[in-house]
Amino acid sequence: MSKLQLDSVQKTYDGQKILNDVYLHCSTGEVVGLLGRNGSGKSTLLKIIFGSLTANSRFLRIDEKVYTGSKTIRDIKYLPQDSFLIKSISVKSTIKLFLSGEYSRIVLELPIVKPLLRERVGHLSFGQRRTLEVLLLLFSESRFLLLDEPFNGLSPTSREVISKLIQERKEHKGIIITDHDYRNVISLSDRIMLMANGNLRKIDDLDGLISYGYLT
């Protein structure tokens, strides 16, 4: 089992503190749900973990290795809200570009993917493209995944398939997930964390979400 630990994260925008000494950990074999209202800093935190956004302060360790400064880490994959795929190539070529060996074959044979293999990525619907992006990360070799709004635009069928695969793939990965569909996040997660007022708090049940004003 591997463990990612993030500590002492601070981030300030225009003199306003967005993140205040945030601590978060995630181990392979678990899904950590990250909830919070719009603008609470969820996406900011994920970008800081990944290394695509500079923090005022960040301490990151995976097992015994410490990472300083702001840089992307090979063992972490991040699903941003904007697409990262090349629109001019086919779905089949995209899968072979991002994945190799057994994992490539698995994704190529998935029923939700096979009808799309000859399509160019740029011709896919938003939901189809999002599904493909999530699949590429789930079957990547990285041990830790940061999924920002993975269910956005997905059809009910794709949502069901992705939810099942997240549960299956967490055996090999640590997954931090945030999505507006809080019910799905809660059902998938082994632990729930709530971002509010720049701080991260562990939530034990729905009453906790109510007490901090996330639910009414």
Side-chain angles (χ1 to χ4, degrees), residues 20 41 47 88 98 130 152 157 162 169 190:
N20 182 29
K47 291 175 184 176
S88 60
F98 279 87
R130 195 64 171 166
N152 186 19
T157 299
I162 292 298
R169 295 298 295 159
D190 300 288

PDB file of all heavy atoms in Angstrom, residues 20 41 47 88 98 130 152 157 162 169 190:
ATOM      1  N   ASN A  20      -6.147  27.227   3.889  1.00  0.00           N
ATOM      2  CA  ASN A  20      -5.522  27.607   5.155  1.00  0.00           C
ATOM      3  C   ASN A  20      -4.935  26.384   5.849  1.00  0.00           C
ATOM      4  O   ASN A  20      -5.633  25.668   6.562  1.00  0.00           O
ATOM      5  CB  ASN A  20      -6.556  28.300   6.056  1.00  0.00           C
ATOM      6  CG  ASN A  20      -5.964  28.763   7.373  1.00  0.00           C
ATOM      7  OD1 ASN A  20      -4.785  29.077   7.443  1.00  0.00           O
ATOM      8  ND2 ASN A  20      -6.798  28.789   8.408  1.00  0.00           N
ATOM      9  N   GLY A  41     -12.545  26.089  -3.149  1.00  0.00           N
ATOM     10  CA  GLY A  41     -11.121  25.769  -3.274  1.00  0.00           C
ATOM     11  C   GLY A  41     -10.815  24.325  -3.616  1.00  0.00           C
ATOM     12  O   GLY A  41      -9.657  23.915  -3.591  1.00  0.00           O
ATOM     13  N   LYS A  47      -5.265  20.996  -8.133  1.00  0.00           N
ATOM     14  CA  LYS A  47      -4.201  21.507  -9.000  1.00  0.00           C
ATOM     15  C   LYS A  47      -2.892  21.662  -8.228  1.00  0.00           C
ATOM     16  O   LYS A  47      -1.805  21.418  -8.775  1.00  0.00           O
ATOM     17  CB  LYS A  47      -4.619  22.847  -9.604  1.00  0.00           C
ATOM     18  CG  LYS A  47      -5.757  22.753 -10.608  1.00  0.00           C
ATOM     19  CD  LYS A  47      -6.190  24.136 -11.071  1.00  0.00           C
ATOM     20  CE  LYS A  47      -7.389  24.046 -12.011  1.00  0.00           C
ATOM     21  NZ  LYS A  47      -7.874  25.402 -12.399  1.00  0.00           N
ATOM     22  N   SER A  88      -7.977  15.877 -33.015  1.00  0.00           N
ATOM     23  CA  SER A  88      -7.835  15.532 -34.426  1.00  0.00           C
ATOM     24  C   SER A  88      -7.577  14.049 -34.678  1.00  0.00           C
ATOM     25  O   SER A  88      -7.557  13.618 -35.833  1.00  0.00           O
ATOM     26  CB  SER A  88      -6.694  16.342 -35.048  1.00  0.00           C
ATOM     27  OG  SER A  88      -5.468  16.073 -34.384  1.00  0.00           O
ATOM     28  N   PHE A  98      -2.280   6.707 -25.018  1.00  0.00           N
ATOM     29  CA  PHE A  98      -2.217   6.915 -23.578  1.00  0.00           C
ATOM     30  C   PHE A  98      -1.962   5.631 -22.796  1.00  0.00           C
ATOM     31  O   PHE A  98      -1.384   5.681 -21.706  1.00  0.00           O
ATOM     32  CB  PHE A  98      -3.525   7.552 -23.086  1.00  0.00           C
ATOM     33  CG  PHE A  98      -3.595   9.031 -23.293  1.00  0.00           C
ATOM     34  CD1 PHE A  98      -4.056   9.558 -24.490  1.00  0.00           C
ATOM     35  CD2 PHE A  98      -3.214   9.909 -22.293  1.00  0.00           C
ATOM     36  CE1 PHE A  98      -4.122  10.933 -24.691  1.00  0.00           C
ATOM     37  CE2 PHE A  98      -3.277  11.278 -22.475  1.00  0.00           C
ATOM     38  CZ  PHE A  98      -3.730  11.793 -23.680  1.00  0.00           C
ATOM     39  N   ARG A 130     -15.718  12.995 -22.023  1.00  0.00           N
ATOM     40  CA  ARG A 130     -15.429  12.938 -20.578  1.00  0.00           C
ATOM     41  C   ARG A 130     -15.269  11.490 -20.128  1.00  0.00           C
ATOM     42  O   ARG A 130     -14.380  11.167 -19.333  1.00  0.00           O
ATOM     43  CB  ARG A 130     -16.577  13.599 -19.801  1.00  0.00           C
ATOM     44  CG  ARG A 130     -16.240  13.933 -18.352  1.00  0.00           C
ATOM     45  CD  ARG A 130     -15.160  14.955 -18.315  1.00  0.00           C
ATOM     46  NE  ARG A 130     -14.930  15.480 -16.968  1.00  0.00           N
ATOM     47  CZ  ARG A 130     -13.861  16.190 -16.641  1.00  0.00           C
ATOM     48  NH1 ARG A 130     -12.939  16.445 -17.540  1.00  0.00           N
ATOM     49  NH2 ARG A 130     -13.705  16.652 -15.421  1.00  0.00           N
ATOM     50  N   ASN A 152     -19.515  14.818 -14.913  1.00  0.00           N
ATOM     51  CA  ASN A 152     -20.150  15.937 -15.608  1.00  0.00           C
ATOM     52  C   ASN A 152     -20.464  15.567 -17.051  1.00  0.00           C
ATOM     53  O   ASN A 152     -19.574  15.253 -17.843  1.00  0.00           O
ATOM     54  CB  ASN A 152     -19.216  17.147 -15.574  1.00  0.00           C
ATOM     55  CG  ASN A 152     -19.866  18.392 -16.145  1.00  0.00           C
ATOM     56  OD1 ASN A 152     -21.090  18.488 -16.251  1.00  0.00           O
ATOM     57  ND2 ASN A 152     -19.053  19.356 -16.524  1.00  0.00           N
ATOM     58  N   THR A 157     -25.834   5.414 -18.394  1.00  0.00           N
ATOM     59  CA  THR A 157     -25.080   4.182 -18.622  1.00  0.00           C
ATOM     60  C   THR A 157     -23.594   4.389 -18.347  1.00  0.00           C
ATOM     61  O   THR A 157     -22.956   3.587 -17.650  1.00  0.00           O
ATOM     62  CB  THR A 157     -25.262   3.686 -20.068  1.00  0.00           C
ATOM     63  OG1 THR A 157     -26.639   3.409 -20.296  1.00  0.00           O
ATOM     64  CG2 THR A 157     -24.451   2.415 -20.314  1.00  0.00           C
ATOM     65  N   ILE A 162     -18.588   3.926 -15.112  1.00  0.00           N
ATOM     66  CA  ILE A 162     -17.456   4.614 -14.485  1.00  0.00           C
ATOM     67  C   ILE A 162     -17.466   4.407 -12.977  1.00  0.00           C
ATOM     68  O   ILE A 162     -16.414   4.170 -12.359  1.00  0.00           O
ATOM     69  CB  ILE A 162     -17.494   6.117 -14.818  1.00  0.00           C
ATOM     70  CG1 ILE A 162     -17.221   6.336 -16.312  1.00  0.00           C
ATOM     71  CG2 ILE A 162     -16.476   6.876 -13.971  1.00  0.00           C
ATOM     72  CD1 ILE A 162     -15.876   5.863 -16.785  1.00  0.00           C
ATOM     73  N   ARG A 169     -10.941  -0.273  -9.714  1.00  0.00           N
ATOM     74  CA  ARG A 169      -9.576   0.186  -9.914  1.00  0.00           C
ATOM     75  C   ARG A 169      -8.934   0.737  -8.640  1.00  0.00           C
ATOM     76  O   ARG A 169      -7.715   0.865  -8.569  1.00  0.00           O
ATOM     77  CB  ARG A 169      -9.536   1.255 -11.014  1.00  0.00           C
ATOM     78  CG  ARG A 169      -9.930   0.761 -12.397  1.00  0.00           C
ATOM     79  CD  ARG A 169      -8.986  -0.312 -12.896  1.00  0.00           C
ATOM     80  NE  ARG A 169      -7.643   0.239 -13.102  1.00  0.00           N
ATOM     81  CZ  ARG A 169      -6.550  -0.506 -13.135  1.00  0.00           C
ATOM     82  NH1 ARG A 169      -6.622  -1.806 -12.953  1.00  0.00           N
ATOM     83  NH2 ARG A 169      -5.370   0.068 -13.328  1.00  0.00           N
ATOM     84  N   ASP A 190     -14.719   6.084   0.537  1.00  0.00           N
ATOM     85  CA  ASP A 190     -14.431   5.463   1.832  1.00  0.00           C
ATOM     86  C   ASP A 190     -14.340   6.506   2.935  1.00  0.00           C
ATOM     87  O   ASP A 190     -14.584   6.212   4.095  1.00  0.00           O
ATOM     88  CB  ASP A 190     -13.110   4.685   1.754  1.00  0.00           C
ATOM     89  CG  ASP A 190     -13.158   3.593   0.702  1.00  0.00           C
ATOM     90  OD1 ASP A 190     -13.852   2.587   0.944  1.00  0.00           O
ATOM     91  OD2 ASP A 190     -12.532   3.757  -0.363  1.00  0.00           O
TER      92      ASP A 190
END
